[in-house]
Amino acid sequence: MRSRIAPAAACGVLAATLGTAAAHLVAALTSPPSSPVLAVGSQVIDATPTPVKEWAVGTFGTADKPVLIGSVAVVTLLLAAVAGAVRPRSRLLATGLLLVLTGLAGAAAVLRPTADTLAWLPALVAAVVGVLTLDWLVTRVVPSEAAHGRPDQPTRRRLFALGGTGAAALALGAAGQGLISRSRPATLALPTPATPLPPLAKGVDLGKAGIAPFVTPNREFYRIDTALLAPNVDPGDWRLTIDGDVPKGFSLDIDELLGLPMVERDITLNCVSNEVGGPLIGNARWLGVPTRELLARAGLDVDPKDPALQVLSTSTDGMTISTPLSALLDDRDALVAVGMNGTTLPREHGFPARLVTPGLYGFVGATKWLTRMTVTRYDAASAYWTDRDWATDGRVHTQARIDTPRALRRIAPGRTVIGGVAWAQRRGISKVEVRVDDGPWQRATLGAEADVDCWRQWFLPWNATPGRHDFVARATDGDGQLQTQDIEAPFPAGATGWHRSAVTVTD
Ligand SMILES: Nc1nc2c(c(=O)[nH]1)N[C@H]1C(S)=C(S)[C@@H](COP(=O)(O)O)O[C@H]1N2
Ligand SMILES: [Mo]
């Protein structure tokens, strides 16, 4: 009896894998987010309690998504193994278990905020393929009980059935994934800005090795969002709607948006989940239309400073983000951006259009794949992160980060620099100080200021002597306010505290 359980469990795992792979391919052709993998993964993301999510982002960073999908896969395959293991005893029980699993995947897909009419189809495919494959595999692979009198397949045939199923799953899954991840070629011709920015002053980038470059290349720009699959928006189908408590709501297609006067702005964007010293920050030159202009066109006639008012923005993947209305109306030039460092927005960063709001963390001002901006009251509608207890006031805290020497590295003795970046969007940076070991605070040299909304590079020449050394850096903002030493975790309003680092100098 014992010898039947392992092969039967293997049949369960392979049947579920083939079913899931077939469903992934069907989803790629009909409704990609409804793939069982993506739909279940997205539901898990939305249902994950904030502390667990923070732990995952803190521990795995941008790899949080592969880790999530891997965990969901492990749980699913364990249950599939159970379904396989009981199959020789009870076909009803095994089939029932597979139907429950695929039924949950179907429910996950249908309940997504962006579900379309075919959302149920991939799960149905998974169910049919999974059940039929399990039936087929079990008769070929699992030794029969003597009473049944069926001659067993030779081992070679059994392995062939299992291997063939695995190979078919791999092929279908890879085909589906290939189709899903293939981006539409960006066919947007970016307009030239009506108000261009001059090229960056040379002094903004000090050119010191190891310090984050002043302009973050698009491919290195951090990516944070809840989308397992970055939406692949067809600009031809895309519209931006401005509505809510405005007299003249309107909507624009992509050509109309691109036809509006565009401005360029250098803005540093960072994530509220960034730990002190963390990597979730980047600086880019954005091209877009000031939100102020779009809201004015809607005939907005409210007190522009009323703190009870928000713009609830919505993305094509169903994300909702609350931004204070005042931040989208004042002179900071929050943008509906279509360009990033001279190209259209990369798919991962919100193609074809996103919000960028200087001075606010991304979760309250940087909606990607933007499609709707609704003027409303904070007490009338709540956004995704608000529902998960994050702060509504997402103003960026002043921070200095030590980029070089890299923490915990061994370096050679001699003349080097301690350096990094510091930011306090809207206020600017006036000073960065560094303390080595128990020495005095020393004032670092700053890169030129491009804009109060951009980070500044800084460095301090340092003669590295053998031994272990500790560094602390702290910034003072443009209003003369020293960065707080109080240590706060990212949740709920952004991390604070001074960045500390250490290296060992060896001779
Ligand atoms: N549609 C959508 N937009 C989003 C998010 C999201 O999850 N979905 N995350 C926000 C958060 S938390 C941040 S920090 C920024 C990150 O933008 P980036 O990935 O381009 O760096 O996007 C914001 N916009
Ligand atoms: Mo974020």
Side-chain angles (χ1 to χ4, degrees):
M1 184 63 217
R2 207 187 190 112
S3 65
R4 302 176 72 210
I5 290 194
C11 291
V13 168
L14 281 164
T17 308
L18 185 64
T20 308
H24 198 58
L25 178 57
V26 169
L29 297 167
T30 55
S31 164
S34 305
S35 161
V37 183
L38 299 170
V40 173
S42 299
Q43 294 291 8
V44 172
I45 289 181
D46 289 356
T48 303
T50 298
V52 179
K53 217 182 261 174
E54 274 313 280
W55 169 81
V57 171
T59 311
F60 306 115
T62 318
D64 58 339
K65 286 173 189 162
V67 170
L68 170 98
I69 294 202
S71 320
V72 171
V74 165
V75 172
T76 309
L77 294 181
L78 277 175
L79 292 169
V82 171
V86 301
R87 174 63 178 68
R89 286 287 190 90
S90 165
R91 169 159 199 254
L92 192 65
L93 194 57
T95 306
L97 192 50
L98 287 183
L99 291 183
V100 168
L101 281 177
T102 48
L104 287 173
V110 169
L111 294 175
R112 294 303 301 151
T114 49
D116 50 30
T117 45
L118 286 179
W120 49 273
L121 182 62
L124 182 69
V125 170
V128 172
V129 173
V131 169
L132 293 181
T133 307
L134 183 58
D135 283 349
W136 181 81
L137 273 178
V138 161
T139 56
R140 316 216 110 209
V141 174
V142 180
S144 55
E145 274 174 313
H148 290 178
R150 172 164 55 77
D152 284 339
Q153 303 275 348
T155 308
R156 180 173 43 83
R157 287 267 203 95
R158 288 192 214 156
L159 289 179
F160 190 74
L162 287 173
T165 308
L170 210 63
L172 295 185
Q177 189 56 26
L179 283 175
I180 285 179
S181 50
R182 194 186 52 183
S183 295
R184 251 174 258 281
T187 47
L188 295 186
L190 278 189
T192 43
T195 327
L197 277 181
L200 283 167
K202 272 221 174 62
V204 298
D205 205 312
L206 299 163
K208 302 274 179 207
I211 299 181
F214 180 79
V215 177
T216 313
N218 288 358
R219 271 194 285 137
E220 286 161 33
F221 209 94
Y222 81 95
R223 172 190 172 194
I224 287 288
D225 52 60
T226 60
L228 277 176
L229 175 66
N232 199 10
V233 179
D234 181 346
D237 294 341
W238 177 90
R239 291 192 80 82
L240 175 63
T241 302
I242 316 274
D243 62 2
D245 302 337
V246 289
K248 300 180 293 177
F250 64 95
S251 98
L252 297 168
D253 65 20
I254 193 71
D255 292 329
E256 289 164 331
L257 179 69
L258 295 176
L260 297 176
M262 298 259 161
V263 303
E264 278 182 313
R265 292 282 273 103
D266 293 318
I267 299 166
T268 296
L269 179 65
N270 51 336
C271 181
V272 70
S273 296
N274 202 26
E275 308 271 353
V276 170
L280 305 179
I281 179 165
N283 180 70
R285 178 161 285 192
W286 308 92
L287 172 73
V289 181
T291 52
R292 192 183 339 107
E293 314 280 339
L294 292 167
L295 291 165
R297 179 166 160 184
L300 191 72
D301 57 358
V302 295
D303 172 5
K305 295 205 167 85
D306 187 343
L309 295 177
Q310 62 157 323
V311 170
L312 186 78
S313 52
T314 310
S315 70
T316 62
D317 66 327
M319 168 58 65
T320 50
I321 282 181
S322 282
T323 309
L325 178 67
S326 58
L328 300 185
L329 290 178
D330 66 21
D331 62 2
R332 76 183 72 191
D333 289 348
L335 302 177
V336 170
V338 293
M340 181 178 185
N341 291 330
T343 68
T344 52
L345 295 176
R347 180 174 165 189
E348 290 72 25
H349 296 290
F351 181 85
R354 74 175 302 170
L355 268 183
V356 183
T357 310
L360 299 183
Y361 290 115
F363 82 115
V364 285
T367 317
K368 302 191 274 187
W369 315 290
L370 176 70
T371 184
R372 180 177 293 266
M373 295 170 66
T374 304
V375 178
T376 183
R377 302 181 60 82
Y378 272 103
D379 57 18
S382 68
Y384 185 90
W385 304 107
T386 316
D387 292 340
R388 286 158 181 79
D389 298 328
W390 286 86
T392 37
D393 181 4
R395 269 180 297 179
V396 168
H397 300 298
T398 305
Q399 281 281 315
R401 184 181 77 187
I402 304 167
D403 288 350
T404 187
R406 292 279 295 279
L408 306 178
R409 288 292 162 85
R410 291 174 172 274
I411 61 168
R415 292 163 63 83
T416 180
V417 299
I418 303 167
V421 283
W423 60 90
Q425 292 94 308
R426 287 283 74 210
R427 304 178 295 280
I429 290 291
S430 61
K431 183 163 75 175
V432 172
E433 296 160 290
V434 186
R435 193 172 64 196
V436 182
D437 302 325
D438 293 324
W441 285 101
Q442 301 181 69
R443 202 166 169 153
T445 303
L446 292 176
E449 176 169 85
D451 194 296
V452 290
D453 294 324
C454 295
W455 60 12
R456 284 178 88 166
Q457 292 186 339
W458 59 266
F459 76 95
L460 181 75
W462 180 53
N463 192 13
T465 53
R468 184 194 142 109
H469 297 284
D470 297 306
F471 313 123
V472 193
R474 64 181 192 190
T476 300
D477 72 14
D479 302 334
Q481 188 76 42
L482 176 65
Q483 170 186 346
T484 177
Q485 193 177 357
D486 298 345
I487 296 173
E488 293 287 351
F491 179 80
T496 60
W498 295 345
H499 189 204
R500 292 164 194 279
S501 185
V503 290
T504 301
V505 181
T506 48
D507 47 1

